[in-house]
Every structure is written in structure tokens, then in C-alpha cells.
Amino acid sequence: MYAYQRLIFPQWQTETGVNEIYSMAGHLVRRLNQISMAVFSERMGELGVELTPVQYAALSSIRETPGIDQATLAGAIAYDKATIGGVVDRLAGKGLILRGMSARDRRARALTITPEGEALFQRVTPHIRTLQNDILSGLDDAEKTQLLNLLRKTTDAGNTRSRAPLRRHNEGESA
Amino acid sequence: MYAYQRLIFPQWQTETGVNEIYSMAGHLVRRLNQISMAVFSERMGELGVELTPVQYAALSSIRETPGIDQATLAGAIAYDKATIGGVVDRLAGKGLILRGMSARDRRARALTITPEGEALFQRVTPHIRTLQNDILSGLDDAEKTQLLNLLRKTTDAGNTRSRAPLRRHNEGESA
DNA sequence: GATTTTTAGTATGCATACATACTAAGATCG
DNA sequence: CGATCTTAGTATGTATGCATACTAAAAATC
């Protein structure tokens, strides 16, 4: 049945489906991201926590670098600064972070984590860690490692291609 | 300072950065999806075409299955039906598809591609194909194949975990 | 065949995600 | 030091992406 189609339109037949898009990198990456978001959201729901992936990433970065400004934060977790504005808004609205004023730059906001934010971070982080494994279901440990290595390699190489490249500001700064 | 952290929390130090999130599956997948979207958008921009990844996927699916309804379309490309409503709106607004009435079901819309849609599809498809390769930069051909196989395997396994699972309705239907 | 359940599509609301444009302020340069 | 350039943050607009709720119609059940 598929063999017949393969004779006529080879591009329509892949291992995973009929339409060519099913075998495209873009489609597969989007699907895995979709699964990743669903697993994250589901696990947070089970914990009774309202926290999105970006919000966790931002919280983690603010916690790591107290007083960080929004632009640096955006670069640190590879998001658009316009997007980060809203994320920071919601984190502050939940009382997880504070938006202070920067001493050096009157334009900039100095972000710090609150005790509530720290407590939530401590509480959810173990679950975030174990959840990473569930994202890559159907693979054995060796395959997971392999996939993670390939993802790291290609995201590193393609970093500047994205509209919001990752900027590791503290690289080489600290002693 | 970070060297000190490395001694205590080795998981904080990865090849790509200091923060633990940089090595997490969720983060890496999101980054690659971000790169994928940027490459797609940039290529379409060069062609002077206003078309998003979802819109292309929908167009491709409607073209493949003329008369498809929105719910089946949503399942066929793994999107939420609410999202697809808007996507179909915009495709129809651009004159790329038609939203007819279903003969069998008065609730359902029968979607068909227009000559303009077909022409656009024919024009962009070769570029969409070559663009897939650019998404996975920094990898050699063997690594790209390996990554695609792992992505296929894990998205297959995790399919039902996502909120909008892929449903291949025409599996076994065609001759 | 009437009731119940499911389903197709839409509406609404929230949260990314990013382009563009704008203001205010810091940085640079002549 | 004044003009220019750049940058931090915000505002606005578009497009996902999905939850929830709703209407209308089809399907299933009794």
C-alpha cells in the first residue's frame, strides 16, 4: 500500500507518515518542543505550581545573577527582550522576584529573587531535573545522551541564526 | 567563583554555560525550535513570501487531502483545533485555500487549496526542503541523520504526551 | 425514536515569541 | 562638550499555542 505510493511520489512516503513534512527537521523539532512543554506543564500542574518553562529559566538566571538587568537576562536565556518584559512582569506579579532600580543605569531594572521565589525554585528544581528525562521518552540512556550531545552541538552552531541568540555574559568574567 | 561552584555542583558547569538549564533537554529543544523558526522565517523573507511553518504544514495537508475538515487537519499536523481555526482563517484570507461546506456534516468545513495556494506551494516547497538542512548546522551528514532518527523515535514515543497528538487518519485508507 | 454523549467549530483569555517603533539615558566621538 | 550613536525598557501589533466554555449537529445508546 505504501509501496505503491512510494513508486509514484517517493517524497510522500516516509517511515513516520504519508506527508513529507513528517520527516522534516522543523516538524520533528517543533513536535518535541510541544511534548517538552506539555510534560513541563503537566508536572507543574501535579505540583500545584503555576510556572512556565520561560519563567523557570528566568527565575534560575535571576537567582544565579542577582541584580541582573532585563536585557542581560534576555541574552542569558536566549529570549527576545520584549518577551522577557512580560515574563518579568508576571514573575514580579507572583512575588517571586523584585524589580529594583539599577544604581549604575537609570534605564535599567535590577532583578532579584525573593524568599518566595527561592523557596519555589528549591521546591520545583528536583522535579524539573527528573522531568527532563521524561521529555525524551522511547530512548535508552545511550540514545538520550547522544541526542542531547547532538542538540548541544547544533544549537551552539546555529546560535546566531536565531533572533534571540544566547549571550553568555559571564564567560571569562569571573575568577 | 565559578570554579568553586564547579567543585560543589558539577552539574552547574557544562560546555555551553554556567547555569544548569543550558544542559537541559527542554532548553536545548526550545533553542533548536527557535533556530528552526528563524531559518524558516528568514528564507521566506528572502523569497518575499509571508508564510509561517504552521501555515505551510496546513497548506501541505489540505493539498494532500482535499476536502479535509479542520479537526482532521489539526490532528494531521499535530495542532490544537483552536490554533488551526486562526491558521485556516489567515490562509483563506490570503486566498491560498477555500473554506467550503461539508456535504456529510453541517458543522464541518471542507478545506481545499486554490490555484494560488498550489502555485505558492510549488514555489516554496523546494526551498522548504533545502532549508531543513540549514536548521541542523554544525553537524555532518551522519550526525544529521542520527539526530533526525532520534527525533523521530522520541516524538513517536511521546506523541500522546503532547496536548495535540498527531493523528494519521489516512493510515491504511488509501490504496 | 428520544436521550445522552460526543464532536466540529468558534469565542475568550492567557502566555509566549518576535518585529517595529518609541522614549529616555548611557556611551562614543569629533 | 556637544552631537551622534547605541542601548534599556516599553508599547503596539501579529501569530502561534493551548485551556475552557459554548453552540450546533452528529453519533451512540437505551
Side-chain angles (χ1 to χ4, degrees):
Chain A
M1 133 201 181
Y2 287 127
Y4 173 72
Q5 286 191 342
R6 193 178 297 119
L7 293 174
I8 307 180
F9 307 112
Q11 74 277 14
W12 282 17
Q13 181 55 47
T14 72
E15 299 153 42
T16 48
V18 174
N19 195 308
E20 180 185 3
I21 61 164
Y22 295 143
S23 64
M24 289 183 174
H27 172 79
L28 292 169
V29 170
R30 181 187 68 81
R31 285 291 293 139
L32 188 52
N33 190 50
Q34 204 175 22
I35 290 165
S36 167
M37 306 267 286
V39 169
F40 189 102
S41 161
E42 192 189 349
R43 201 59 48 91
M44 290 304 107
E46 288 164 8
L47 294 174
V49 172
E50 288 286 326
L51 204 68
T52 66
V54 209
Q55 288 172 15
Y56 176 77
L59 197 62
S60 167
S61 199
I62 293 166
R63 177 180 177 278
E64 188 198 8
T65 313
I68 192 171
D69 63 288
Q70 292 183 196
T72 309
L73 171 62
I77 56 179
Y79 277 92
D80 189 275
K81 64 174 180 171
T83 302
I84 287 306
V87 173
V88 163
D89 262 346
R90 286 179 281 278
L91 283 176
K94 294 182 204 175
L96 302 176
I97 62 165
L98 284 178
R99 289 225 280 198
M101 314 274 285
S102 169
R104 288 172 303 171
D105 190 333
R106 264 181 297 169
R107 297 168 302 176
R109 309 296 203 114
L111 309 174
T112 46
I113 196 167
T114 63
E116 291 77 20
E118 178 66 27
L120 185 65
F121 182 85
Q122 293 293 344
R123 187 174 152 225
V124 300
T125 294
H127 299 275
I128 305 268
R129 282 191 191 125
T130 58
L131 156 181
Q132 301 305 313
N133 217 276
D134 302 340
I135 292 172
L136 308 181
S137 65
L139 303 183
D140 60 38
D141 285 355
E143 288 172 324
K144 284 178 183 174
T145 303
Q146 208 170 41
L147 177 52
L148 286 175
N149 284 333
L150 290 169
L151 286 176
R152 234 186 311 248
K153 192 170 180 181
T154 192
T155 52
D156 246 37
N159 182 41
T160 55
R161 273 186 174 80
S162 108
R163 293 297 179 165
L166 194 64
R167 269 177 230 143
R168 294 182 282 274
H169 65 291
N170 35 11
E171 222 168 64
E173 271 183 23
S174 53
Chain B
M1 149 196 190
Y2 286 120
Y4 172 73
Q5 286 191 341
R6 191 179 300 118
L7 292 174
I8 306 178
F9 307 113
Q11 75 276 16
W12 281 16
Q13 181 58 48
T14 71
E15 301 153 38
T16 49
V18 173
N19 196 307
E20 180 183 4
I21 62 165
Y22 295 144
S23 64
M24 288 185 175
H27 173 79
L28 292 169
V29 170
R30 182 188 68 81
R31 284 291 292 139
L32 188 52
N33 190 50
Q34 204 176 21
I35 290 165
S36 168
M37 306 268 285
V39 169
F40 190 102
S41 163
E42 191 188 350
R43 202 59 48 90
M44 289 305 108
E46 288 165 8
L47 294 173
V49 171
E50 288 287 326
L51 204 67
T52 66
V54 210
Q55 288 172 15
Y56 176 77
L59 196 62
S60 169
S61 199
I62 293 166
R63 177 181 178 275
E64 188 197 11
T65 313
I68 193 172
D69 63 288
Q70 292 183 194
T72 310
L73 171 62
I77 56 178
Y79 278 92
D80 188 274
K81 66 175 178 169
T83 302
I84 286 305
V87 172
V88 163
D89 261 347
R90 286 179 281 277
L91 283 176
K94 294 183 205 175
L96 301 176
I97 63 165
L98 285 178
R99 289 224 283 196
M101 314 274 284
S102 169
R104 289 171 302 171
D105 190 333
R106 266 181 296 168
R107 296 168 303 175
R109 310 295 205 113
L111 308 174
T112 46
I113 197 167
T114 62
E116 291 78 18
E118 177 67 26
L120 185 65
F121 181 85
Q122 294 293 344
R123 188 175 150 225
V124 300
T125 293
H127 298 276
I128 306 267
R129 283 193 191 123
T130 58
L131 157 180
Q132 301 306 315
N133 217 277
D134 303 339
I135 292 172
L136 308 180
S137 64
L139 304 182
D140 60 39
D141 285 355
E143 289 173 323
K144 284 178 184 174
T145 302
Q146 210 171 37
L147 178 53
L148 286 175
N149 283 334
L150 289 169
L151 287 175
R152 235 187 310 249
K153 193 170 180 182
T154 192
T155 52
D156 246 37
N159 182 41
T160 54
R161 274 188 173 77
S162 110
R163 294 297 178 163
L166 193 65
R167 270 177 231 144
R168 292 183 281 273
H169 66 292
N170 36 11
E171 224 166 63
E173 274 182 20
S174 54

